[in-house]
Amino acid sequence: MKIGFIGVGSMAKAMIKGFVNSKNINSNDILIHSKHSNNYVNFAKEYGLTAVSTNEELVKNSDCIVLAVNPIQVIDVLKDIRELLSVDNKILLSIVWNYSLNRLEELTDYDLPIFRTVPNVNVEVNAGSLLYAYNENVSEENLNDIVSNFKLLGEMINLTENKLNTAGALVGCTPAYAYLFADAFSRIAVKYGLSKSESNKMIAQSVKGSMDMISKSNSNPTDLMDEVCSPGGSTIKGLLALKENGFEKAIDKCFDATQDN
Ligand SMILES: NC(=O)C1=CN([C@@H]2O[C@H](COP(=O)(O)OP(=O)(O)OC[C@H]3O[C@@H](n4cnc5c(N)ncnc54)[C@H](O)[C@@H]3O)[C@@H](O)[C@H]2O)C=CC1
Ligand SMILES: O=C(O)[C@@H]1CCC=N1
């Protein structure tokens, strides 16, 4: 399957690197076009991708078109490729945040198979999550083709579209908050004499293992927390300090802000 990316920003680059890392897709079967040629042409050279000079050329030569631009750019992009999308059984896969299937259908041909997805940047190391919903034009064969290719990037999770904004924030935005959390811990450890690079490595491994505990043990995070807090020990003191300083309230506000569309 030839996969064409319209828009080669942070998210498209992460997905493409994940595909290339997976070694299951020929890098020259990945086509790219973006607004700034100095950016996407060099990226194509670095990863052995096929750079094309227009969105129209990209659509003509791809089986699956990944719409990876920002919401504000969607109308203009789809206006130019609308007719070409209807030729030769193409599939549109949008990663555009908060852009509904209905709206995408209005801007394209009503027979077009469309997937609406929310990936996260962890796809770059094939440890991503990719939430997806799709319209009624998607056939069994389309579904198999998309799932078999995109699962190379991480876990594929099918949801009804009405959950995509909330689940999308949990999946799409949280990497940034996890980086903030890791950075805050490794910075304070520097104050106590560790180097930033050794702190980064330790916090990353510790948080990764803790997240594995949640998913692999299937335990509630509260129970796992209790296991770490030895009576009278340091962890409970730290945990109470986090609570007293508004950690949970800050998370609530943070999540509310992501839902404010
Ligand atoms: N960054 C992330 O972690 C995630 C992003 N998304 C969604 O992915 C989309 C892209 O996000 P980012 O990569 O972060 O943004 P970005 O701003 O880094 O990338 C957008 C790219 O589109 C290009 N572009 C603009 N107009 C164009 C046009 N007419 N034709 C071709 N290319 C054009 C820009 O030059 C830029 O390279 C957004 O809709 C965002 O909501 C979804 C989940 C996670
Ligand atoms: O910040 C954003 O709007 C996009 C969607 C999820 C992650 N990045």
Side-chain angles (χ1 to χ4, degrees), residues 78-118:
L78 289 180
K79 193 157 36 89
D80 293 339
I81 60 168
R82 179 177 187 144
E83 298 204 345
L84 295 166
L85 281 170
S86 307
V87 181
D88 293 341
N89 306 314
K90 299 192 186 297
I91 302 172
L92 179 68
L93 184 144
S94 166
I95 66 165
V96 181
W97 180 255
N98 200 18
Y99 223 93
S100 71
L101 286 167
N102 262 340
R103 188 76 186 108
L104 292 167
E105 282 173 346
E106 278 164 14
L107 296 168
T108 56
D109 184 287
Y110 278 92
D111 291 333
L112 186 69
I114 307 179
F115 286 80
R116 182 180 158 201
T117 69
V118 183

Side-chain angles (χ1 to χ4, degrees), residues 186-207:
S186 48
R187 241 168 240 288
I188 191 72
V190 172
K191 178 177 160 190
Y192 285 90
L194 297 188
S195 75
K196 188 81 194 309
S197 66
E198 66 185 338
S199 304
N200 282 344
K201 266 194 199 138
M202 285 185 270
I203 188 74
Q205 178 59 22
S206 177
V207 172

Side-chain angles (χ1 to χ4, degrees), residues 217-233:
S217 73
N218 216 6
S219 303
N220 194 311
T222 320
D223 297 330
L224 293 170
M225 248 190 281
D226 287 348
E227 283 177 30
V228 193
C229 294
S230 312

